[in-house]
Amino acid sequence: MKKVMFLSVIAAVIVLTGCATKQPVISQVGTTKPVTVPATNNNQPTSSENVSGIGASGVSSSSQSSVQPSNQSNALSQMQQLQKKLKSIYFDFNKYNIRSNMTNTLQQDIQTLKASDSNYTVKLEGNCDDRGSNEYNFALGLRRANTVKKSLVNAGISASHITMISYGKTKPVCMQQTPECWQRNRRVDFKLLP
Amino acid sequence: MKHILIIFLFMSSLLYGADNTINVVKNVATLPTIAIEDASTDFSTALQDRFFKAIKSDLNVLSIFNVDSSHYKVTFSNDTVLPEEKNNDYILRYRLVSGESKTLTVDVKLFKKSQLVMQKSYKINNSKLYIFISHAIAYDVNKYMGAAPVEWMKKKVIFSRLLSSGQSEIVISDYTMSYQYVIVKGGLNIFPIWANQDQTSFYFTSLNGAKPMLEKVNISTGKVTKILSSDGMIACSDVSQDGKHILVTMAPHGQPDIYLYDISSKKLTRLTHFSGIDVDGQFFGNDSIVFVSDRLGYPTVFSKTIGSNAVSQLVFEGHHNTSCAVSGHYIVYESRETNNAFSVNTYNLHLMSTQTDYIRRLTAVGVNILPRFSQDGNTILFIKKYKGQSAVGVIRLNYNKDYLFPLKHENIQGLDW
């Protein structure tokens, strides 16, 4: 895993102490030693108490096998070629239903996926334009991904081969404040995982 | 009869003053004036100017003075007041003094009509942190004046900002966002929220693994604890006053709903069951939540009692109300007046009370987002975007005043105070 998240312990958390004295002192607290935390694909909580928390929720753990990198470069190349054929599905403002002019695109994506190696996992990434709150847009992006997922499942693609994630408005393809740019960001992207 | 009338008018003013949704459009009383004298000889002119601007801004934000904007230069030990300042009710004199290893000391005198009424010294280990001394001075001046407490001035703000597509960082700052410290960087890390009143730890969502993960960071020790994960999305929307419970939006089955999570017992309770979008849960009283839902076909604000299936619509105005914050019986929400995708991209903040029918519009132009109450509920922090520029805004509800501090190209995605 190349991505590494650097987590720095704050070096300057400021608190005011000694207000009652003539010379208040603004002091530093906290450690100054930086901590490096690698981001991994193992998303299970590391502490036992957290595992029980997840279990109590009924939130299922993910299968790690689907995201292990493949050693077969040919297979990887084929997968990348296939991914390029999959077109993004675009949505209207604040909507998560498939609009009429996207139906054909979605059908083409479904046919492309059905004709391919069924062992691939399809990752549906929901995205939004930058209007509205961050949390609402994450939910909206997820609903869009879920709509596409339902279409895929209805067409016969196994739900166990589909994962979803929402990026809300944090993965825009453009940043302009124009209707054209907003439209490009209201989308669901297809990503294939070996 | 005259006495009864006076008492009636006095009681009426108290009643109106107690409701923050009432917009006071005219203050009868004249605010006292204050001038600022800079007696600094140490440090660069640039730092002296920055400190002057900081203390001037802080005194303005207190909203209890008319602040003279002139940058007067004097001698610290001088007992006299400059002729041009004699009309001011108060004089705040300070000097910046450098010490060993970048230490900054600020000596302060407060005069009331040439009479010394307050004298203090403030010390910090690094002159880059000067803004916190400015806030501390304003806090003490406010306290001396006997005005409503401004504890929020010493609180830290935590926010996430988007650096580029898919790249963000989490930053801790003062309330003006003048001083910023990046505490999480690398990858996509969002939704930071303080985990306790002391602001010694915080939650955030990491999107760097296979699944979104809610994590908790202890600032003092650097310990990172993984709390919950979910398919699709996960975000901590609110933390209870005692820090023992959190409201989380998550979607274990592709359906974003609000859950209550008990930190000690690890018990997770699903609170909403709508087939659309339920997000942004906020604790409301002892047994209820306020949240945003699109169950009417557009997002707006609802409430429900925990354990009950019934929901109540709280906000009837606007057609795209995607975020809210709660303090007592007050709710501030961001609202887009139209649901038209191609209309002007304007979001305004509104303040409502669950005890009255009044709604107070807090902003008028631009995109105004991410409202957050101070702990006492009398001040709101928010982000404003207008004509290609962005700023952090401070609204003093009781004084009917707001202030903006410009930001440099910040794309702020989440904020807590």
Side-chain angles (χ1 to χ4, degrees):
Chain A
M1 191 65 183
K2 290 183 179 177
K3 280 188 179 177
V4 175
M5 179 180 70
F6 295 101
L7 179 68
S8 303
V9 176
I10 188 165
V13 179
I14 310 305
V15 292
L16 183 69
T17 58
C19 285
T21 65
K22 247 190 166 183
Q23 187 174 32
V25 177
I26 296 179
S27 61
Q28 290 183 324
V29 297
T31 62
T32 55
K33 188 179 177 184
V35 177
T36 303
V37 181
T40 68
N41 277 336
N42 180 5
N43 277 267
Q44 290 306 298
T46 51
S47 56
S48 59
E49 65 273 22
N50 289 331
V51 171
S52 65
I54 293 265
S57 71
V59 181
S60 59
S61 60
S62 64
S63 168
Q64 302 304 311
S65 61
S66 63
V67 293
Q68 293 300 319
S70 169
N71 292 325
Q72 300 175 357
S73 58
N74 284 343
L76 190 62
S77 176
Q78 285 178 2
M79 188 185 75
Q80 289 169 344
Q81 290 296 320
L82 181 64
Q83 185 170 295
K84 287 180 182 175
K85 294 179 182 175
L86 298 168
K87 305 298 182 190
S88 298
I89 306 298
Y90 294 94
F91 293 80
D92 284 336
F93 173 65
N94 195 35
K95 302 292 183 189
Y96 43 85
N97 59 302
I98 304 293
R99 65 189 193 206
S100 56
N101 67 348
M102 280 288 117
T103 307
N104 286 341
T105 306
L106 182 56
Q107 289 305 315
Q108 288 170 14
D109 288 336
I110 289 171
Q111 294 309 316
T112 303
L113 287 169
K114 291 179 77 172
S116 68
D117 182 351
S118 62
N119 286 327
Y120 293 144
T121 292
V122 182
K123 185 182 180 188
L124 301 172
E125 298 181 348
N127 296 274
C128 301
D129 65 33
D130 77 342
R131 295 173 293 177
S133 74
N134 204 23
E135 191 170 325
Y136 181 81
N137 275 314
F138 264 79
L140 182 60
L142 185 59
R143 293 294 301 172
R144 287 171 175 165
N146 203 27
T147 301
V148 175
K149 178 183 177 180
K150 286 178 180 174
S151 297
L152 267 56
V153 171
N154 288 340
I157 297 173
S158 171
S160 63
H161 284 260
I162 303 171
T163 66
M164 296 184 295
I165 191 165
S166 178
Y167 290 112
K169 51 185 183 179
T170 60
K171 278 200 171 180
V173 294
C174 55
M175 306 283 264
Q176 295 82 22
Q177 293 295 313
T178 62
E180 293 76 21
C181 179
W182 293 331
Q183 173 59 93
R184 291 177 64 199
N185 287 328
R186 296 191 299 263
R187 70 193 193 280
V188 170
D189 294 331
F190 292 82
K191 295 288 166 62
L192 295 180
L193 305 172
Chain B
M1 188 64 187
K2 190 187 284 183
H3 288 262
I4 293 172
L5 182 64
I6 291 171
I7 291 170
F8 174 77
L9 290 173
F10 177 68
M11 294 303 290
S12 300
S13 68
L14 283 181
L15 282 173
Y16 277 98
D19 187 350
N20 282 339
T21 58
I22 301 296
N23 190 1
V24 180
V25 294
K26 187 176 182 180
N27 277 319
V28 176
T30 305
L31 296 175
T33 55
I34 188 168
I36 305 166
E37 292 182 344
D38 182 358
S40 305
T41 53
D42 293 356
F43 294 105
S44 65
T45 308
L47 180 62
Q48 290 176 13
D49 288 343
R50 285 202 298 273
F51 191 86
F52 171 76
K53 288 177 182 172
I55 193 69
K56 187 177 71 173
S57 297
D58 278 335
L59 291 176
N60 270 314
V61 171
L62 290 180
S63 306
I64 57 174
F65 294 113
N66 280 325
V67 182
D68 186 336
S69 60
S70 302
H71 189 169
Y72 297 108
K73 292 279 190 177
V74 297
T75 304
F76 190 74
S77 57
N78 198 349
D79 291 332
T80 59
V81 175
L82 294 175
E84 58 267 38
E85 296 180 66
K86 281 190 173 173
N87 291 332
N88 286 300
D89 298 304
Y90 292 90
I91 305 291
L92 182 75
R93 181 181 297 166
Y94 68 85
R95 68 177 173 193
L96 310 182
V97 182
S98 65
E100 294 178 1
S101 307
K102 298 181 182 178
T103 299
L104 166 65
T105 300
V106 182
D107 299 321
V108 174
K109 291 178 179 176
L110 179 67
F111 296 93
K112 180 181 182 182
K113 293 291 183 185
S114 303
Q115 183 80 30
L116 182 65
V117 293
M118 190 182 94
Q119 183 167 9
K120 287 190 174 184
S121 289
Y122 303 79
K123 191 176 181 181
I124 202 160
N125 290 344
N126 189 333
S127 60
K128 289 180 180 176
L129 305 174
Y130 69 89
I131 192 74
F132 293 98
I133 289 189
S134 173
H135 299 341
I137 292 170
Y139 176 90
D140 285 340
V141 170
N142 183 75
K143 193 174 181 181
Y144 166 78
M145 296 295 292
V150 287
E151 301 296 330
W152 49 265
M153 218 173 225
K154 296 193 290 187
K155 288 283 184 180
K156 297 180 288 291
V157 173
I158 190 165
F159 63 91
S160 62
R161 66 178 160 214
L162 198 63
L163 302 174
S164 60
S165 181
Q167 290 288 319
S168 69
E169 60 188 12
I170 294 177
V171 182
I172 292 179
S173 75
D174 67 305
Y175 82 95
T176 65
M177 296 188 182
S178 302
Y179 175 82
Q180 300 187 0
Y181 188 91
V182 177
I183 193 163
V184 181
K185 60 181 178 180
L188 191 53
N189 305 289
I190 51 174
F191 297 126
I193 184 169
W194 292 113
N196 51 22
Q197 299 287 336
D198 296 336
Q199 299 187 322
T200 54
S201 56
F202 65 91
Y203 299 101
F204 75 100
T205 297
S206 169
L207 290 175
N208 304 305
K211 281 185 175 185
M213 173 67 75
L214 181 67
E215 302 186 13
K216 184 179 182 181
V217 178
N218 184 315
I219 294 174
S220 301
T221 64
K223 183 184 176 188
V224 182
T225 309
K226 293 180 178 178
I227 305 295
L228 287 168
S229 71
S230 170
D231 277 329
M233 71 169 289
I234 189 167
C236 178
S237 310
D238 198 15
V239 179
S240 63
Q241 286 279 332
D242 58 10
K244 294 179 178 176
H245 297 85
I246 58 175
L247 289 173
V248 183
T249 300
M250 54 196 293
H253 309 293
Q255 174 59 46
D257 273 308
I258 298 167
Y259 293 73
L260 177 69
Y261 185 67
D262 187 315
I263 301 295
S264 302
S265 68
K266 317 297 179 194
K267 183 184 177 187
L268 193 63
T269 308
R270 186 176 175 181
L271 299 183
T272 62
H273 299 80
F274 174 56
S275 59
I277 294 173
D278 286 335
V279 293
D280 207 12
Q282 309 280 312
F283 288 105
F284 183 52
N286 293 327
D287 59 354
S288 299
I289 61 166
V290 168
F291 61 103
V292 171
S293 175
D294 75 336
R295 57 191 67 209
L296 295 179
Y298 63 91
T300 193
V301 182
F302 292 82
S303 70
K304 74 170 291 183
T305 303
I306 295 173
S308 165
N309 290 327
V311 299
S312 300
Q313 185 179 355
L314 290 181
V315 176
F316 295 87
E317 290 75 19
H319 291 278
H320 200 244
N321 312 321
T322 61
S323 174
C324 64
V326 175
S327 176
H329 59 270
Y330 291 108
I331 298 164
V332 60
Y333 61 94
E334 60 180 64
S335 175
R336 190 168 191 260
E337 277 78 5
T338 170
N339 206 23
N340 183 347
F342 304 105
S343 66
V344 177
N345 190 19
T346 297
Y347 284 82
N348 281 308
L349 301 182
H350 295 73
L351 180 71
M352 64 165 292
S353 165
T354 55
Q355 297 183 348
T356 68
D357 293 331
Y358 293 109
I359 293 179
R360 178 174 162 188
R361 191 177 185 179
L362 299 174
T363 59
V365 295
V367 175
N368 303 278
I369 56 173
L370 299 169
R372 292 292 179 267
F373 278 105
S374 61
Q375 203 169 346
D376 61 16
N378 291 324
T379 302
I380 292 173
L381 198 72
F382 69 103
I383 300 298
K384 182 185 235 4
K385 296 177 183 176
Y386 186 57
K387 292 186 175 178
Q389 294 183 319
S390 59
V392 56
V394 178
I395 301 173
R396 302 297 312 277
L397 295 172
N398 291 343
Y399 298 97
N400 192 30
K401 290 188 175 181
D402 57 87
Y403 305 91
L404 295 174
F405 297 90
L407 297 172
K408 293 178 182 174
H409 313 297
E410 304 280 16
N411 190 348
I412 293 177
Q413 299 284 312
L415 180 151
D416 193 34
W417 191 16

